[in-house]
Amino acid sequence: MPLNLTKKYNDLLDILGMSESQRNNSLRRIFNRDIQDNPAFSFNGKPIYPTPREDGQIAMENLFNHLTRKEIDKDTHHREYDSHRSQRLHWIRHHVEQKKADNMLYFSVDEPRAPRTYIYDIDEKYVIVLEPRRNGSAYYLLTAYHLEGKDAARNKIMNKYRRRRLPNLL
């Protein structure tokens, strides 16, 4: 478990053979180090916060769930553990700190619900989704995931970049 704290981009976290409690403990340690307890967690000079929730759920707990679980039921918003997201949890900090220079896209799109800013690693097919705050002073971290299945086959993020990107990064 402690070995996961030494993993670097683009290694995957070793969580597949762990029990659920061991896995959650290991992922929580990565999350706490890189996001929750990181006072310098920012992108493009702007701090990143978890999205506030109105239903009483703790914002950091909600963010942890979005970064380690995938929505499997759109109607109920039920989420279940996703190994692909979880194994790459430590990649988020690497990307928001812009430590990888080659084959990266940083762009914003006007989405139906709100503008979004995307960080996309072309080589790894890994995307981080941020929502700029209304006043432009910070971001909310919405989610991060590895493109797979239909989304990867359709080249979803590259199409969004080519067709809908805004002229400036929000």
Side-chain angles (χ1 to χ4, degrees):
M1 248 184 320
L3 290 178
N4 278 335
L5 290 170
T6 65
K7 295 282 185 174
K8 304 288 183 211
Y9 170 85
N10 64 356
D11 293 333
L12 298 177
L13 296 177
D14 291 323
I15 54 175
L16 296 180
M18 294 181 177
S19 70
E20 184 178 352
S21 65
Q22 290 172 323
R23 181 182 70 224
N24 285 338
N25 185 30
S26 183
L27 292 171
R28 181 53 87 166
R29 290 174 73 182
I30 300 291
F31 178 81
N32 290 348
R33 178 197 67 193
D34 291 354
I35 298 171
Q36 183 170 329
D37 299 336
N38 179 0
F41 190 55
S42 63
F43 173 67
N44 236 17
K46 299 176 186 178
I48 301 173
Y49 301 107
T51 305
R53 292 291 304 247
E54 296 173 9
D55 61 4
Q57 188 175 18
I58 298 169
M60 280 294 178
E61 191 61 33
N62 183 52
L63 179 58
F64 180 74
N65 285 332
H66 275 262
L67 299 175
T68 60
R69 291 171 173 75
K70 183 178 183 176
E71 187 175 76
I72 59 161
D73 186 331
K74 300 267 187 217
D75 295 330
T76 64
H77 301 291
H78 178 73
R79 301 182 82 82
E80 287 187 2
Y81 166 72
D82 181 31
S83 63
H84 296 287
R85 287 176 188 236
S86 297
Q87 289 176 307
R88 294 164 176 83
L89 183 62
H90 63 300
W91 290 12
I92 295 170
R93 183 176 181 180
H94 180 85
H95 285 93
V96 300
E97 291 177 354
Q98 298 176 328
K99 291 185 177 178
K100 182 179 184 233
D102 297 334
N103 291 323
M104 292 294 299
L105 294 176
Y106 305 95
F107 65 99
S108 297
V109 172
D110 235 345
E111 299 284 7
R113 295 178 90 189
R116 301 283 194 254
T117 295
Y118 292 87
I119 301 170
Y120 183 54
D121 181 337
I122 297 168
D123 297 326
E124 296 291 341
K125 293 186 174 18
Y126 187 71
V127 62
I128 299 170
V129 184
L130 304 171
E131 181 179 313
R133 288 176 82 171
R134 287 190 181 129
N135 64 9
S137 65
Y139 292 102
Y140 293 120
L141 175 56
L142 301 181
T143 195
Y145 55 92
H146 180 252
L147 280 180
E148 52 192 15
K150 291 185 300 187
D151 292 337
R154 290 188 329 227
N155 219 354
K156 175 183 170 183
I157 299 299
M158 288 302 293
N159 287 336
K160 194 174 287 218
Y161 174 77
R162 282 192 291 270
R163 296 179 184 156
R164 301 183 41 218
R165 81 174 178 269
L166 298 172
N168 298 313
L169 192 65
L170 299 178

